[in-house]
Amino acid sequence: TVDFSNTIIIATSNANSEIIKEMIETKESMEKISEIIKKKLTIYFKPELINRFSQIVVFKNLSLRDIELITKLQLNSLAKSLEKTHGISLLFNDAAICKIAELGYDPVFGARPLRGVISEKIKSVLAEKILRQEISKGNNIEIILEDQNIIFKIK
């Protein structure tokens, strides 16, 4: 037997994200956006499901600045992991962080594309350099932006 009496279930969706984006760009209030979105949810979900929700919260899209902060967090996490597992120090300059954030920025999908960009532009390149033994334990790697390209400087 399962008891859900003290449980909070949170469901997320990108339903009507384009409408939310357009309304935010026109500086519409979050209260107005929330009201309109709640009425339009029946396009995606049956009323029987919507009526089971005690509350519907509409979040504003992430800004590029928000994505930059998330990028820093994810890159710092990667750097800590690389230091712990391979003894390799990883540093990023601000321009490289901004470029990665820009590549991973999508106002509709939030931070989801960012993970793929970090994997493609940083993790895959690092893995290849480690396998080729261009990078080894004890190396300090600085990742910088040079002529709009992400460059790995080995020190």
Side-chain angles (χ1 to χ4, degrees), residues 93-110:
N93 75 357
D94 288 341
I97 292 170
C98 289
K99 182 64 175 180
I100 294 165
E102 179 187 314
L103 293 171
Y105 177 64
D106 187 320
V108 175
F109 294 109

Side-chain angles (χ1 to χ4, degrees), residues 57-69:
V57 179
V58 178
F59 292 94
K60 72 177 185 76
N61 293 5
L62 295 172
S63 69
L64 181 55
R65 179 68 185 137
D66 296 328
I67 298 295
E68 287 172 3
L69 295 172

